[in-house]
Structures are given as C-alpha cells and as structure tokens.
C-alpha cells in the first residue's frame, strides 16, 4: 500500500482522508468559480481560475484511486 493510499484510508478527525479530499475539491471548485465571476465582472481574476482548476485536477487525480476492500490486506 502506497503512502497516498494510507493517507486516503486513514481517519483524520471525524472523517477519512478521502472525505477531506472531497471537501478540498469542493473548495477548489468554489475558488475557480469565484475567479470566473471576477473575470466576468472586472476582467481580472485569472489567477483564481488557474489555482482552483489546478487544485481540482489534483484532487481528482488523487481521489480517483479505488478504495481498499474491507477484507483485503494487499
């Protein structure tokens, strides 16, 4: 089991790492949408779109790993 798998399956506070990753993905989506609204209003805010988009892609890449089966030790 790799370090990423251990982090995703470990409980951190009330939830597992996978749930915290989903919360981070939600925040990253909100940041990207905030950037879009800023660009639509003022013409600036591209940096928020880039940061939110990159964080969203990173979250999807990490969270796309399948969850470990309860009975498997591998």
């Amino acid at each position: 089991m790799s370090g990423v798998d251990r982090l995703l399956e470990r409980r951190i506070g009330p939830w597992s790492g996978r749930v915290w990753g989903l919360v981070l993905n939600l925040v990253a989506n909100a940041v990207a949408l905030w950037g879009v609204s800023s660009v639509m209003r003022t013409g600036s805010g591209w940096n928020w779109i880039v940061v939110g988009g990159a964080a969203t892609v990173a979250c999807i890449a990490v969270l796309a790993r399948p969850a470990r089966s309860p009975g498997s030790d591998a």
Side-chain angles (χ1 to χ4, degrees), residues 44-69:
S44 64
W46 289 99
N47 52 346
W48 294 111
I49 296 174
V50 171
V51 168
T56 297
V57 169
C59 285
I60 290 171
V62 170
L63 294 171
R65 302 176 70 99
R68 183 176 54 94
S69 299

Side-chain angles (χ1 to χ4, degrees), residues 3-4 6 8-9 13 17 20 23-24 27 31 36 43 48 50-55 60 62 66-67:
V4 173
R6 278 192 291 269
L8 288 176
E9 300 301 328
W20 285 112
V23 170
L24 180 62
V27 170
V31 168
V36 169
W48 294 111
V50 171
V51 168
I60 290 171
V62 170

Side-chain angles (χ1 to χ4, degrees), residues 12-43:
I12 304 167
W15 298 320
S16 69
R18 192 171 297 275
V19 174
W20 285 112
L22 291 172
V23 170
L24 180 62
N25 189 25
L26 176 71
V27 170
N29 287 331
V31 168
L33 288 173
W34 185 30
V36 169
S37 69
S38 179
V39 167
M40 298 291 283
R41 282 182 290 127
T42 65

